[in-house]
Amino acid sequence: QVQLVESGGGSVQAGGTLRLSCTASSTYTYNSNAMAWFRQPPGQEREPVAGIYTSGGNTYYADSVKGRFTISQDNARNTVYLQMNSLKPEDSAMYYCAAVWGRIIRDLANEYDYNHWGQGTQVTVTS
């Protein structure tokens, strides 16, 4: 059983910063293989934002957030972070944490490869 709990969302003005956290608790005896952040703007489909392989540390970023967002992890705390700088109104969305246990995934951006999801945290960026 796995629970992913996101925190850190909120409302911020354009140009501001937020840091999202996702803490995983599970009955697995080993770490997840990868964790990621996805987002879903109102009326749109969910899209990948950033992902990280938890053992190797390789990362993925959507083109729209490269240079502004940073994904990182604290394996001791089973937590992944998303540092979001220079926020834009188009970054407004519900942000979801995702994780995968028990299988190797080749594409951090593919939401169908993840088998555990958090409930989401809202990010609103005002102009």
Side-chain angles (χ1 to χ4, degrees), residues 15-18 65 67-70 83-88 91:
T17 66
L18 284 172
V65 307
R68 299 188 299 122
F69 291 11
T70 303
Q83 178 68 41
M84 304 187 295
N85 299 330
S86 302
L87 282 161
K88 304 176 181 179
D91 294 318

Side-chain angles (χ1 to χ4, degrees), residues 24-39:
S25 58
S26 78
T27 56
Y28 289 103
T29 57
Y30 49 92
N31 290 335
S32 63
N33 291 336
M35 297 185 73
W37 290 94
F38 290 76
R39 67 186 182 188

Side-chain angles (χ1 to χ4, degrees), residues 3-98:
Q3 185 177 24
L4 302 178
V5 178
E6 302 107 329
S7 62
S11 183
V12 65
Q13 287 191 328
T17 66
L18 284 172
R19 189 175 83 152
L20 305 183
S21 299
C22 173
T23 298
S25 58
S26 78
T27 56
Y28 289 103
T29 57
Y30 49 92
N31 290 335
S32 63
N33 291 336
M35 297 185 73
W37 290 94
F38 290 76
R39 67 186 182 188
Q40 187 168 19
Q44 300 183 38
E45 294 189 354
R46 190 160 57 190
E47 61 185 23
V49 176
I52 186 167
Y53 288 106
T54 55
S55 59
N58 288 348
T59 57
Y60 157 85
Y61 292 97
D63 287 342
S64 59
V65 307
K66 282 180 181 176
R68 299 188 299 122
F69 291 11
T70 303
I71 189 169
S72 61
Q73 61 183 343
D74 183 339
N75 285 340
R77 293 182 170 85
N78 293 322
T79 299
V80 65
Y81 304 97
L82 186 68
Q83 178 68 41
M84 304 187 295
N85 299 330
S86 302
L87 282 161
K88 304 176 181 179
E90 51 263 42
D91 294 318
S92 297
M94 183 70 78
Y95 281 70
Y96 296 94
C97 176

